[in-house]
Amino acid sequence: MYSLHNTPIKLCRTLVLALVSVQFCAHTYADLHAPPFLNNLVRDSNNNMGIGMALNNRRVPASELEAKFWQNQASNELLKKLNQQMNKNKAKNVIFFLGDGMPISSITAARILHGQRVGYPGEEQLLSFEKFPYSGLSRTYCTNAQVADSACTSTAYLCGVKTNTLLLGVNAKVNYGNCTASMDPANHLTSIYGWAQAAGKATGFITTTSLTHASPSGGYAHVANRMWESDADVRSYGEDPTNCMDIATQLITELPGKNLDVLMGGGMGKFLPNSITDSFGNPGERLDGKNLLTRWQNLHPKGIIAKNREELLRLNITKVSNIMGIFQSKLMKYNLEAEDYQPTLAEMTGVALAFLSQKEQGYFIFIEGGLIDYANHANRLNVALDELLEFDKAIQLARAMTDPADTLIVVSADHSHPLSMAGYPERGNNILGLNNLGMDEDGIPYATMNYAVGPEQYLEPDGVRMDLTGKLGTPDSIQPSYIRISSGVHGGEDVGVYASGPWEHLFTGVMQQNLLPHMMAYASCIGEGPQMCSQTRATNEN
């Protein structure tokens, strides 16, 4: 027992209050510190719907009821980690997969959807890249923004330098829209496309957006506005395209764009004059009369331009020097809405890798699941997750077609979207639908997956949320959001990085996004920075 004798009055009072507080807390801890649903557990242990949390194991797979299942699972995972050997081979090939606008919450939801599509609860599944041995986080902020766009991030992960939003291939000294500064070679950045070409490697990119979209063009274009995709776009912003070269022109006529071995995506209109109807029945967009597709063909007489799935898949890769696949006038269409003539991302990946594998010096290729972002902007969760699963199919195919002994595959995202997974839905609950156990304070069920910002709040005239039972889960449905804006916005939190192959162990921890190309360059002995080849030589000499 503590004695209060000879204790100063102020300290005495403090000790008494502390002892009283401890006694009080012992009786009321649950009320003061437990979340509200735990209070409900005490009062109503049978009311699952009211509590909003599963209180039985009716949907748990039978094998998971046994402790041995989880012990074995943990042991197997531990042994994999213990047996993992560092792969310090030179990376002959590097494949960089980018899920545009792919937050970690969407990866979780896509993995669940993947399992549910084949009859499993879903939570136990893994996407192919989640099985890669190493992972980390990428910090996506740009020099002038907490939350990034796809241009400044492209510059970071392809050029290795962070810059301002909406800029491509130039440093942060350039202000948005400043044509003169963006055309100044002193402000231009080199990229991993150019580093690989200088080392004699083949290069290319694939996207489900357009060939002139921000993500792939950060590695070949130098502009102060990512929207300057054609000369008509430059004019629409009040600039002179004769002084301010558009992105499409830079791709076809300038280094490193004109030396890319593989180009696949949409956006044919940016390369054709408005006097010509493209392969998809739409007029070209250019006002300068230039046919850049003809220009590309003249530069690559043994190259082939494929305009549909059939032309791409029947291509004799041993007979061509370069491949341009261009499959829509603008963006490619969502997988769920695409016609048969449009190839899938996996099909484009398969043809590209088969072609590039013939290159003795190896290759670097950038492959983007670009429409994940567009679907997330529209809050069309079903479509976004389907695009993510198509992206995963391409990654799985790439790993199957290559050898991790000499091919480094890195998977990441450029930025996030504010997509949350909330509540306490039961195991196996439809990830595209409503939380089957939870309700709000008005007794109305809510969706498990919600966006912070978007076009649909689903409110009644009195401000009460609508009951969305049976109204979510289709390709056309729009997920609920909190803040009303016509199009969803990006998120600023870190995104995942996953690696498999030579020097995969570098891709761990919390990284600056601009570090990614430097690590890929290190592993493959290209670029202007440190290289594993020179480090190995120095070690051997010592």
Side-chain angles (χ1 to χ4, degrees):
M1 291 289 294
Y2 285 104
S3 173
L4 300 181
H5 184 63
N6 294 328
T7 303
I9 294 175
K10 185 176 181 181
L11 177 58
C12 178
R13 185 183 300 116
T14 302
L15 289 172
V16 169
L17 289 174
L19 290 170
V20 171
S21 296
V22 169
Q23 185 178 14
F24 175 75
C25 288
H27 292 290
T28 62
Y29 181 85
D31 291 329
L32 291 178
H33 296 277
F37 69 85
L38 289 184
N39 293 334
N40 292 337
L41 286 179
V42 175
R43 290 193 288 269
D44 188 354
S45 61
N46 297 314
N47 184 0
N48 290 19
M49 296 297 289
I51 296 165
M53 176 180 282
L55 299 181
N56 56 53
N57 56 17
R58 62 176 185 155
R59 307 230 8 217
V60 179
S63 61
E64 295 184 14
L65 298 174
E66 301 294 335
K68 193 67 175 174
F69 172 89
W70 297 106
Q71 293 164 348
N72 290 339
Q73 182 266 348
S75 295
N76 290 336
E77 289 296 312
L78 177 59
L79 287 174
K80 286 181 183 178
K81 293 182 180 296
L82 293 174
N83 293 327
Q84 183 70 35
Q85 301 294 317
M86 282 192 181
N87 182 345
K88 293 188 176 182
N89 298 337
K90 176 183 175 180
K92 177 182 179 182
N93 313 308
V94 176
I95 307 172
F96 182 25
F97 280 95
L98 186 101
D100 196 317
M102 183 177 70
I104 290 176
S105 57
S106 70
I107 295 173
T108 302
R111 118 173 35 119
I112 294 172
L113 178 61
H114 171 64
Q116 292 180 349
R117 282 181 170 182
V118 292
Y120 292 100
E123 294 81 4
E124 68 291 327
Q125 299 297 304
L126 284 176
L127 302 179
S128 66
F129 60 88
E130 293 182 289
K131 300 174 186 177
F132 284 7
Y134 290 92
S135 60
L137 294 172
S138 169
R139 301 167 65 188
T140 64
Y141 72 92
C142 292
T143 48
N144 66 343
Q146 277 186 341
V147 179
D149 81 312
S150 292
C152 60
T153 52
S154 174
T155 304
Y157 61 68
L158 291 177
C159 299
V161 176
K162 290 206 173 197
T163 193
N164 299 328
T165 54
L166 304 173
L167 306 188
L168 289 166
V170 294
N171 60 38
K173 294 179 182 178
V174 177
N175 287 318
Y176 169 73
N178 189 327
C179 175
T180 301
S182 69
M183 291 294 103
D184 184 351
N187 293 325
H188 290 183
L189 303 173
T190 60
S191 76
I192 195 167
Y193 294 155
W195 306 342
Q197 289 175 7
K201 293 182 179 294
T203 53
F205 69 79
I206 300 170
T207 179
T208 50
T209 59
S210 63
L211 300 183
T212 53
H213 203 263
S215 297
S217 60
Y220 68 78
H222 310 285
V223 293
N225 182 350
R226 60 178 282 188
M227 304 307 295
W228 293 345
E229 296 182 54
S230 73
D231 70 307
D233 298 323
V234 175
R235 289 185 184 277
S236 72
Y237 282 85
E239 297 291 339
D240 182 353
T242 61
N243 297 324
C244 201
M245 189 182 299
D246 63 88
I247 294 173
T249 299
Q250 292 189 45
L251 174 59
I252 301 302
T253 68
E254 304 298 310
L255 292 173
K258 68 178 183 180
N259 283 349
L260 292 168
D261 297 86
V262 174
L263 308 168
M264 294 189 197
M268 183 176 283
K270 303 296 183 183
F271 299 88
L272 296 176
N274 58 6
S275 59
I276 293 179
T277 299
D278 70 15
S279 301
F280 311 99
N282 299 306
E285 298 182 33
R286 302 193 66 84
L287 301 177
D288 57 10
K290 294 179 181 179
N291 186 327
L292 294 178
L293 297 186
T294 299
R295 178 73 178 272
W296 184 88
Q297 191 70 78
N298 290 337
L299 289 172
H300 307 286
K302 293 184 179 180
I304 187 72
I305 300 177
K307 299 176 289 297
N308 56 57
R309 180 174 182 267
E310 182 182 0
E311 290 179 357
L312 179 68
L313 297 183
R314 74 183 184 192
L315 181 64
N316 186 340
I317 59 173
T318 65
K319 301 291 186 181
V320 299
S321 63
N322 300 74
I323 301 173
M324 176 186 282
I326 192 161
F327 305 111
Q328 292 290 350
S329 300
K330 297 183 182 295
L331 304 174
M332 293 182 69
K333 295 186 177 181
Y334 293 130
N335 174 67
L336 290 175
E337 300 173 356
E339 298 92 337
D340 289 341
Y341 70 79
Q342 178 178 292
T344 66
L345 183 59
E347 289 170 338
M348 291 189 285
T349 298
V351 172
L353 294 185
F355 170 70
L356 293 172
S357 67
Q358 303 172 113
K359 308 299 182 179
E360 293 184 3
Q361 299 301 313
Y363 58 83
F364 169 82
I365 187 168
F366 172 75
I367 303 175
E368 182 195 21
L371 298 180
I372 300 169
D373 178 66
Y374 276 81
N376 276 326
H377 274 295
N379 288 187
R380 295 178 66 183
L381 180 65
N382 192 337
V383 177
L385 298 187
D386 184 76
E387 289 296 316
L388 202 161
L389 292 177
E390 289 296 303
F391 177 66
D392 185 56
K393 289 177 184 177
I395 297 168
Q396 186 171 12
L397 177 63
R399 184 34 86 217
M401 292 181 66
T402 59
D403 187 345
D406 68 1
T407 301
L408 171 64
I409 299 180
V410 178
V411 180
S412 191
D414 51 353
H415 56 75
S416 180
H417 272 268
L419 173 67
S420 67
M421 183 175 181
Y424 309 94
E426 198 169 19
R427 177 76 178 270
N429 188 54
N430 180 6
I431 194 63
L432 296 173
L434 299 179
N435 180 338
N436 67 333
L437 296 182
M439 294 184 181
D440 68 10
E441 292 187 355
D442 296 313
I444 299 172
Y446 56 90
T448 303
M449 306 297 300
N450 297 273
Y451 291 90
V453 178
E456 286 290 350
Q457 286 67 56
Y458 297 107
L459 300 177
E460 300 287 3
D462 60 0
V464 175
R465 289 191 313 106
M466 298 178 185
D467 186 344
L468 297 180
T469 301
K471 297 179 181 179
L472 297 178
T474 66
D476 293 330
S477 62
I478 299 175
Q479 215 70 10
S481 57
Y482 170 60
I483 299 169
R484 183 173 180 81
I485 296 182
S486 60
S487 178
V489 298
H490 295 172
E493 67 270 22
D494 298 349
V495 296
V497 181
Y498 309 82
S500 171
W503 296 91
E504 60 196 6
H505 54 280
L506 296 180
F507 296 82
T508 58
V510 180
M511 298 162 271
Q512 288 283 17
Q513 191 170 50
N514 65 292
L515 175 62
L516 297 179
H518 294 290
M519 292 193 294
M520 289 183 263
Y522 179 88
S524 53
C525 297
I526 63 175
E528 303 157 349
Q531 299 178 12
M532 63 83 56
C533 299
S534 57
Q535 298 290 330
T536 301
R537 281 195 298 270
T539 300
N540 291 337
E541 290 171 0
N542 292 332

